[in-house]
Amino acid sequence: MVTTLASASADGEVHLLTHPAAVCASAEGWDTLASTSGGVGGQAWAQAWLEVYGADHELAVSVAGPVDAPTAVLPLVRHPRRPWTWEMLGIRQMSESMDVRGDDPRGLGLLLAEMARRGVPLRFKRLPAESRLLPHLEALHGGRAWVRARLAVGTPTITLDDRWREPEHHFSKRRRGDFRTALRRAEQLGPVELTIEEPTPAQVAPLFEELVAVEASGWKTRAGSALAGRASMRAFLLRLGQIAAEKKAARLAFMRIDGQAVAVQFAIEQQDRYSLFKIGFDEEFARCSPGNLLMLHTVRQAAERGLTRFDFLGAAEPWTAVWTDEVRACLDVNVYPRSAWSPVAGGDALARRAGWWGLQRIRAGRAG
């Protein structure tokens, strides 16, 4: 296991972890550190990413304090094809909103000061707007680095309270009637069962394969986003579930009609949050609205267990608007220190932005 003492002062020390074994050992203590992104960026996330994607990347995971009991963690990686920018571990593959781990102001300040000293450009693609890292990023601006932040795609969420123990009351009379009608239609087809499994590591794989099969039966296969056709993401989420199950944090929810799974969810329950990574339903049972009925069940159970957030992850979509109009703001933050790499990173960022705008113009033109 390889670790490097990057810097030490009267305020504390910063270790730079560049070897997967060192990162995995340190990650055992990450889940106890506060974070606005819950299970995204925790120990299971880091270990699963290292196993599936890590071989193609260079690591620069900075931890403040002892390696095995850090007070703050900034997990950065870069790909050899883009060596000029360091990004948060897993953000490029999963595109989820991700924050640092830890709320120790001194530790966070040390981490950013060390990265600025190293002169490496940074990109925080979907940093939560309430991140404790932002004040330290602002402190860098104009001195050690140029910091540019703009709004990024937010992530929908439900702030849970006791009223969500009966989620139906958050909907209109018509919508409540739709839920009742859907349940009656389902019951006409056979016994209805709604469950949230808390699997052991050995139980995750068969339940996860059941989820993949249900998801593949719907529109996601036609859109090319189903896990059945995305081997790396499928492997990552499976390992994420297995590792999270070791700490009893994995959740696989099912709605079954006469024993057949017709709606599924994969989530991580951590730091009082239900982080929903994947959903799916069998389109043959669309008249029963199985996805909505399962969502009612999981939101209700989350509130009854005293959780504070139900995070949908991903981005706001028409179907999430049915459940919440609350969207957690995110920022796309680029940090350019005074180094030779920064002009290259800045040019790459401009090219990406120009490409994005060009794509939007093409799509708008095709839409008439």
Side-chain angles (χ1 to χ4, degrees):
M1 186 171 68
V2 180
T3 67
T4 301
L5 181 62
S7 66
S9 67
D11 291 330
E13 60 186 26
V14 173
H15 292 270
L16 186 67
L17 312 182
T18 58
H19 193 277
V23 176
C24 285
S26 177
E28 291 289 337
W30 294 6
D31 290 341
T32 60
L33 299 176
S35 176
T36 64
S37 53
V40 177
Q43 183 257 339
W45 172 279
Q47 185 175 331
W49 184 89
L50 286 168
E51 292 181 18
V52 177
Y53 299 107
D56 296 329
H57 292 76
E58 182 180 351
L59 302 175
V61 177
S62 298
V63 300
V67 172
D68 58 352
T71 61
V73 179
L74 181 59
L76 299 175
V77 301
R78 69 177 176 182
H79 195 280
R81 290 200 299 268
R82 306 173 70 88
W84 47 81
T85 302
W86 293 82
E87 299 178 313
M88 296 281 267
L89 183 152
I91 185 67
R92 180 166 294 276
Q93 292 77 22
M94 300 304 294
S95 298
E96 296 293 357
S97 172
M98 183 173 170
D99 198 4
V100 294
R101 313 296 292 189
D103 57 0
D104 172 29
R106 185 182 67 176
L108 293 173
L110 288 172
L111 295 182
L112 271 183
E114 172 59 24
M115 298 312 292
R117 186 189 67 79
R118 289 167 54 84
V120 293
L122 311 175
R123 186 188 183 197
F124 301 95
K125 187 176 180 181
R126 291 185 69 197
L127 186 69
E130 69 265 38
S131 171
R132 297 177 178 88
L133 192 64
L134 281 172
H136 301 282
L137 288 169
E138 292 168 357
L140 287 178
H141 185 67
R144 296 183 177 182
W146 180 56
V147 181
R148 181 179 182 183
R150 57 176 174 265
L151 283 176
V153 176
T155 182
T157 186
I158 297 174
T159 300
L160 298 171
D161 55 30
D162 286 343
R163 293 176 299 171
W164 281 100
R165 292 171 180 261
E166 298 181 2
E168 296 88 348
H169 295 322
H170 287 265
F171 298 94
S172 66
K173 182 178 180 180
R174 178 178 178 181
R175 180 71 68 178
R176 294 197 299 270
D178 291 341
F179 290 147
R180 290 191 295 268
T181 299
L183 181 58
R184 285 196 299 269
R185 288 172 177 169
E187 291 172 338
Q188 290 170 1
L189 299 175
V192 174
E193 184 182 15
L194 294 157
T195 61
I196 302 176
E197 305 287 347
E198 186 182 303
T200 65
Q203 292 171 333
V204 169
L207 291 172
F208 189 79
E209 289 307 307
E210 193 173 7
L211 177 146
V212 171
V214 172
E215 187 202 38
S217 69
W219 62 269
K220 291 188 177 183
T221 295
R222 297 190 296 275
S225 62
L227 290 175
R230 306 178 73 180
S232 295
M233 184 177 290
R234 178 175 176 175
F236 169 77
L237 289 176
L238 173 58
R239 285 299 292 142
L240 177 67
Q242 290 171 329
I243 298 166
E246 295 173 3
K247 296 188 176 182
K248 301 185 182 301
R251 301 290 181 267
L252 284 141
F254 295 87
M255 175 177 169
R256 293 186 171 90
I257 298 178
D258 200 19
Q260 178 182 348
V262 297
V264 291
Q265 291 183 6
F266 169 68
I268 301 295
E269 187 174 307
Q270 195 173 78
Q271 296 193 341
D272 294 331
R273 293 171 180 264
Y274 187 93
S275 299
L276 182 58
F277 283 88
K278 274 291 179 178
I279 65 167
F281 69 93
D282 191 329
E283 287 189 346
E284 291 186 13
F285 296 84
R287 293 186 70 251
C288 306
S289 298
N292 282 333
L293 292 178
L294 182 58
M295 193 69 70
L296 274 177
H297 180 70
T298 53
V299 171
R300 177 184 292 110
Q301 290 297 310
E304 290 182 350
R305 291 196 300 276
L307 303 185
T308 60
R309 290 269 192 176
F310 191 103
D311 289 334
F312 289 87
L313 301 185
E317 298 182 39
W319 75 267
T320 63
V322 172
W323 294 91
T324 182
D325 58 3
E326 183 181 358
V327 178
R328 297 171 61 224
C330 294
L331 299 172
D332 187 344
V333 183
N334 287 273
V335 181
Y336 303 110
R338 296 178 178 178
S339 73
W341 278 119
S342 288
V344 180
D348 177 61
L350 287 173
R352 280 189 284 104
R353 192 68 177 167
W356 183 86
W357 279 110
L359 181 60
Q360 300 311 304
R361 288 175 65 86
I362 292 171
R363 288 175 174 171
R366 288 176 177 174

